[in-house]
Amino acid sequence: TINRRTQKIMTQQSTQDDNHQTEENRNRSNEHPVVSHSSFSIIRQIAGINWKGQCRYVKNDANSNKNSFSPNSAFILNGGMRLDVNETGIQITSFIEFPNGKVREVVMYGEKEKNAQQEQQHQGSIDLYPVGTSSNGPIYMRITELSPDTILFHELERSTDKVVLTGSISVAQAIGRGSDHDKEIGSPEELVQVSHELGDTNDDCVIKGHQVWRYKNI
């Protein structure tokens, strides 16, 4: 039979163990980012909006150190995108205007059911493939969410699954109201996208270029 002194010691030890495990879990959660899953709540915040903006494109500086870049050589591109979400999938429509006046539009779509197994393997990500006039395109996208306000994505070659571009989209929210600011506090106001073009791993420099987009909700 356990006497009262022994039982008290065991209770104290159990409490200490619980506190230690709680602290250990808290530290572990701080070490790893929170990844959203099937609800795609961040994408839903910015869906149904025609986002338009500009891109500052910076190429790797081939005339300098192989791992440097030249922001002075940046040039501006115009473009936009729209995300749409329904019960079955996600669609991203994007366009870009080149300096020669040509416009390229790409539409990509991913179905949640078809991505169910892949979503488990890739922690809440979903693959989007080109559709419509873009259906023969060589690239597909893999996207996921990083709470509370960021979308992470890769662009991959369909033939090899090699990542050719990687980046993120962060949602900037309205923080106030005024005569020239009629958006609700907390509503998505701007998207900041930063992408990096990747070359072959055998090249001197893996990073080939940088795209910095700022989209406005207009």
Side-chain angles (χ1 to χ4, degrees), residues 4-61:
R4 291 183 179 179
R5 177 178 174 80
T6 303
Q7 189 173 20
K8 182 178 180 181
I9 293 173
M10 290 177 67
T11 301
Q12 290 175 341
Q13 182 63 45
S14 176
T15 302
Q16 290 173 357
D17 290 343
D18 288 343
N19 291 338
H20 177 72
Q21 188 165 2
T22 301
E23 182 66 25
E24 201 172 46
N25 290 338
R26 187 181 299 114
N27 292 335
R28 187 179 295 115
S29 66
N30 290 335
E31 291 173 0
H32 302 285
V34 178
V35 177
S36 299
H37 292 284
S38 57
S39 62
F40 293 103
S41 58
I42 300 171
I43 292 176
R44 290 181 184 277
Q45 289 179 36
I46 61 176
I49 298 171
N50 294 321
W51 297 93
K52 291 185 179 181
Q54 289 188 326
C55 167
R56 288 169 290 163
Y57 181 80
V58 181
K59 295 186 68 174
N60 181 65
D61 190 350

Side-chain angles (χ1 to χ4, degrees), residues 133-148:
T133 57
S134 313
S135 60
N136 293 324
I139 302 298
Y140 72 97
M141 291 182 69
R142 176 166 295 154
I143 62 175
T144 191
E145 295 186 337
L146 183 66
S147 294

